Amino acid sequence: MTLHEHATPAEKVAAMGSLPAKVDVKAPLVSQEALTEGVLKLTAVAPSIALRAMPGQFVQVGVNRGGTLLRRPLGIAEADPATGHVSLIYRVAGKGTLALSQLKPDDEIKLLGPLGHGFSTKAEKPLLVGGGMGLSPLLYAAEYLLGHKTETDVLMGGRTEKELFWQQLFKDCAKNIHLTTDDGSLGTKGFVTTILPELLKENGYDLVIACGPEIMMKNVAKVCKEHDVPCEVSLERRMGCGLGACLSCSIDTVSGRRKVCKDGPVFPAEEVFF
Ligand SMILES: Cc1cc2nc3c(=O)[nH]c(=O)nc-3n(C[C@H](O)[C@H](O)[C@H](O)COP(=O)(O)OP(=O)(O)OC[C@H]3O[C@@H](n4cnc5c(N)ncnc54)[C@H](O)[C@@H]3O)c2cc1C
Ligand code: FES
């Protein structure tokens, strides 16, 4: 492939020939903005990751400051093959994410990815169910699926209205957005499982994709089982290597010990909640 002067990042990557499934790249930041208190959206240039990222996959992020040697796993919130941009949405939880939050445009991070197995992309009528930072990979799922002509509905839950700033991010890529809050300040009062049975009964979803606190995913999986709708869940474990080598993310499943980083993070619910 001969490159013309104005080749897009995707064309430049394609010109390199076939790439390995994952890459380890230095990625300059394009932007970093606060979405709400303690939650930031970072966008970096990483065309070789943007081009191959599937929804539900994650990256291991390295920051050369703050004394953090280990990389931190973060789900892919957006990936645009045309611009080569990859976005991550994260909560400042400790020293790794704090160091990340202090970076400015043109600072560089290290990105290893895309890692793990993502969500199924074959469903015709999927419902995405999320809470907290679990909504981050669901955002890419909604954008990716829309780009592949599949509309998604989203059910999101939070403690209060303030936690549902996500609805702004999903407004252009989801068809219907259903909201619940624990205190009733927005949407239906209660957990996502308060309205999930009704949604499953009325809408004929052929897949539920859940990402959020484990207790939420367990309860979502239970409701899905009762309504005979397949459910996928994305698990979180502390990770060392992200590549299947250190065993720090091992879990028990119906088919024995599996590694969340390599065999997951997405699993059929019945494989892990049994
Ligand atoms: C596959 C995967 C995808 C993830 N995607 C996202 C994402 O999109 N956005 C986001 O905000 N976070 C995400 N996380 C969680 C994120 O990795 C942790 O918040 C981050 O590693 C904390 O690093 P730290 O150095 O800031 O905190 P540390 O100083 O290491 O820890 C601070 C606190 O965070 C908790 N913590 C650390 N790692 C995890 C973890 N893996 N799971 C749960 N709690 C943890 C610790 O128990 C501790 O209480 C993801 C985790 C995994 C495994
Ligand atoms: S993080 Fe090392 S094996 Fe999963």
Side-chain angles (χ1 to χ4, degrees), residues 189-200:
K189 186 174 192 302
F191 299 142
V192 287
T193 42
T194 309
I195 58 171
L196 182 59
E198 188 184 315
L199 292 177
L200 294 184

Side-chain angles (χ1 to χ4, degrees), residues 1 3-14 47 81-84:
M1 180 176 176
L3 283 183
H4 54 81
E5 195 189 339
H6 301 294
T8 65
E11 286 167 338
K12 285 180 191 161
V13 170
T83 58

